[in-house]
Amino acid sequence: MSAVARKRALAATGVVLLLVLMEATGRLGLLGSSWPPLTDVVSYVMEPAARDLLGRALGATASAAGVGFAMGSLIAVAVAVLGVLLPAAQPGLERLAAVVNALPLIALGPLLITTVGREGTPTVIAALAAGFAMFVAATSGLAAASAAHTDVFRALGASRRVRLMRLQLPAAVPLLLDGLTLAAPASVLGAVIGEWFGAPRGLGVLLVGAMQNFQIEQLWAAALASALISLAAYLVLTGLRSLATGRFV
């Protein structure tokens, strides 16, 4: 068996064992009534009304997370590029990014509601969550070019813009893709949290409603749906990263 096949077999075995453990924990009541058997959650999801409700919520959360992911990633890369083109501004930009990331979401929520509205809050929080991870990756990636190549460009009189386009951005591609794999799950989490501040729809709304009304199957269904979105985004971007590794590394 090849190394790749062995890794896939181990991953599949791990997933199966996890599912069996979740089912057994629920059947035996080891963690109380708040941990239902996985089959009960699946049965709930198969009901037409529940499936329709989850589908609408999933679409709303995925839309907010996707827009926030794209917006946060683009802004983060733009700020990192600005720091390369204006080296004097780079320390200030890095401190600003750290301060914004340190702001507690519980404090940002009411502020965002009054500025962008309840429907826009999940998207903005998703952008903030994705943006910091992407900014760190972009900053590191743009500094990843080898010193020898940088010296050659400087000796040839290349401007900062030319070095950025011809050297630093190509060298940064693997780390940029690493940043995207981290930013995508973060944007889903940000969107779900943003929906807690009064959004009209989304998985976050279902989570809050299920907790308040002790609807355990709905709570787990919404939580698992959020996890599946994050996992799907991560796997897609990991595959893209693998494809790009051979070209840019």
Side-chain angles (χ1 to χ4, degrees):
M1 181 182 292
S2 66
V4 175
R6 189 180 298 110
K7 288 181 179 180
R8 290 177 178 174
L10 289 173
T13 303
V15 171
V16 171
L17 289 176
L18 177 61
L19 296 177
V20 171
L21 180 61
M22 292 176 64
E23 176 70 15
T25 302
R27 288 295 172 193
L28 297 175
L30 298 178
L31 296 178
S33 59
S34 61
W35 187 296
L38 185 59
T39 50
D40 288 358
V41 179
V42 174
S43 298
Y44 168 79
V45 174
M46 296 305 294
E47 296 176 3
R51 190 165 58 247
D52 184 58
L53 180 64
L54 280 171
R56 291 197 304 269
L58 186 64
T61 300
S63 176
V67 174
F69 169 71
M71 184 169 62
S73 298
L74 289 174
I75 293 175
V77 172
V79 172
V81 167
L82 181 63
V84 171
L85 297 176
L86 300 174
Q90 189 168 17
L93 294 174
E94 291 176 353
R95 292 189 184 95
L96 176 62
V99 168
V100 171
N101 182 67
L103 291 174
L105 295 179
I106 194 66
L108 283 177
L111 178 62
L112 292 174
I113 289 173
T114 59
T115 53
V116 300
R118 296 181 184 276
E119 293 191 4
T121 297
T123 300
V124 175
I125 293 183
L128 291 174
F132 184 72
M134 198 62 204
F135 176 77
V136 172
T139 302
S140 301
L142 292 173
S146 68
H149 290 161
T150 302
D151 290 342
V152 170
F153 272 74
R154 285 175 176 167
L156 294 175
S159 64
R160 288 196 187 107
R161 184 180 63 84
V162 172
R163 291 202 304 270
L164 174 69
M165 299 301 296
R166 299 294 181 87
L167 175 63
Q168 290 172 288
L169 280 177
V173 168
L175 283 175
L176 288 175
L177 291 173
D178 283 342
L180 290 175
T181 60
L182 296 175
S187 66
V188 175
L189 177 61
V192 171
I193 293 175
E195 290 165 352
W196 292 357
F197 295 104
R201 65 188 66 85
L203 293 173
V205 178
L206 286 186
L207 287 170
V208 172
M211 285 188 290
Q212 292 174 343
N213 297 292
F214 205 68
Q215 296 173 307
I216 300 302
E217 287 78 12
Q218 184 184 96
L219 176 66
W220 276 88
L224 290 175
S226 302
L228 288 175
I229 298 177
S230 300
L231 180 61
Y234 177 81
L235 290 176
V236 169
L237 291 168
T238 300
L240 182 61
R241 203 265 187 210
S242 299
L243 291 175
T245 297
R247 172 64 178 84
F248 293 96
V249 175

